[in-house]
Amino acid sequence: MVGNPTASISTVSNNIPFVLYLPYPNLIKFRLCRWLHQTDKFRPGSSLKHIIVPEEVQTLQNEIQYAIQHVPNTNMIWDTRIFEAFIKEVNYFHKLNYITGQDVSAIKEDLLSLLDKTEQIASDGCYSNGNRVHIYLSNIHFESSFTYLEKGDFRVCLLRLYSLNSIDTLHPEVCRSQKEWIKTVKRYSTLITESGQMQRIAFFKEQR
C-alpha cells in the first residue's frame, strides 16, 4: 500500500478511527481497558497505570500508523456521535470505578490533542506528509465500523469486532458490495475537508 499511487483506504466509523488515536497512549490504554473488561480481565479499583503496553506492541502500532498515513488517498466517513460515544464510555467506566479521576483527566488531555490534530487534517485535506485525506460527516448513524482497502487489483474489507479486533475478507463480491455501499453513504454525508468550513467548525466546537 505504501507509496503506491493507486492505493486507497475508506473507513466508515461509529467510533474514533484507530489511526487517529494511535499516537495517544491514554486513549490506547482506555481501549485496552474496555476490551479487558469485556473479557473479564479488568476489575473495579484498577487504573490505566496498571495497563502496560509492551514495547514490541508500541513498535507495531507505530508501523501501522506510518503505513496507513502513507497511503496516498484516505476517505473517512464518521457517524456524528463518534466522540460523544467515546466520552460516554469513559464516564461509564469511571462511575464503575474501573478508571480513576486522574485517568479521566489524562484521557481528556489526549482527546483534546486528538481533536486539535484532526481538525487541522480536516482543514488541510491531508496528513502532515501531504497524502490526501477526505473526512465526511454522515447524516445517518452506523451500527458498526468497517474499512475497505484497494490497490490495483487487490481488495480487502475489514469489519470491526469486540472493540479492538476485526475480521477481514478478500471475497470479490463482498468487497464490491462494500465499495458500493461506501459510495451510497457518501451521498448521505457532508464533506468537511477543505470545503464545508461552517460544518467543520461547528462539529469540532461541539466536541469540545
Side-chain angles (χ1 to χ4, degrees):
M1 287 287 184
V2 177
N4 188 308
T6 68
S8 68
I9 298 178
S10 296
T11 62
V12 174
S13 305
N14 65 356
N15 44 47
I16 300 173
F18 184 62
V19 66
L20 295 182
Y21 67 72
L22 273 177
Y24 302 98
N26 294 299
L27 303 187
I28 287 285
K29 286 187 175 184
F30 179 71
R31 281 299 181 196
L32 288 170
C33 161
R34 186 176 182 274
W35 178 77
L36 288 169
H37 168 66
Q38 290 177 329
T39 55
D40 202 29
K41 297 175 182 177
F42 204 69
R43 303 295 182 181
S46 299
S47 169
L48 295 187
K49 68 181 180 181
H50 297 139
I51 297 177
I52 307 299
V53 181
E55 185 175 342
E56 58 268 28
V57 174
Q58 296 181 44
T59 299
L60 182 59
Q61 290 173 347
N62 292 335
E63 290 174 354
I64 292 171
Q65 183 186 13
Y66 177 88
I68 293 175
Q69 292 189 351
H70 279 74
V71 173
N73 298 288
T74 298
N75 295 288
M76 299 182 186
I77 307 174
W78 295 349
D79 188 312
T80 54
R81 302 178 299 186
I82 60 171
F83 292 103
E84 177 186 347
F86 183 85
I87 291 168
K88 284 183 176 180
E89 288 181 357
V90 171
N91 289 333
Y92 176 73
F93 275 75
H94 183 220
K95 288 178 181 178
L96 291 181
N97 197 32
Y98 282 97
I99 58 175
T100 67
Q102 187 174 1
D103 291 334
V104 173
S105 296
I107 290 169
K108 180 180 179 180
E109 184 176 347
D110 274 4
L111 189 58
L112 288 171
S113 295
L114 181 153
L115 282 167
D116 289 341
K117 181 66 174 179
T118 305
E119 186 172 15
Q120 188 62 55
I121 292 171
S123 177
D124 294 342
C126 61
Y127 292 120
S128 59
N129 60 17
N131 285 326
R132 302 295 299 167
V133 180
H134 296 93
I135 299 175
Y136 299 80
L137 296 179
S138 174
N139 293 306
I140 58 175
H141 298 304
F142 309 130
E143 296 178 359
S144 61
S145 298
F146 64 84
T147 301
Y148 171 79
L149 302 90
E150 66 177 4
K151 180 188 69 171
D153 294 331
F154 174 82
R155 292 167 179 79
V156 62
C157 297
L158 300 95
L159 176 65
R160 187 168 180 175
L161 294 175
Y162 312 129
S163 299
L164 294 177
N165 301 317
S166 64
I167 57 174
D168 63 79
T169 179
L170 299 171
H171 193 286
E173 186 60 26
V174 175
C175 290
R176 186 199 63 77
S177 178
Q178 199 87 298
K179 183 177 182 178
E180 290 303 314
W181 191 73
I182 290 173
K183 290 181 180 179
T184 300
V185 173
K186 280 184 180 180
R187 293 203 295 267
Y188 295 99
S189 305
T190 302
L191 178 65
I192 62 168
T193 301
E194 297 182 292
S195 61
Q197 183 177 13
M198 290 182 60
Q199 294 92 333
R200 180 175 68 247
I201 292 172
F203 173 76
F204 283 103
K205 182 179 181 180
E206 183 178 356
Q207 310 317 305
R208 295 182 173 93

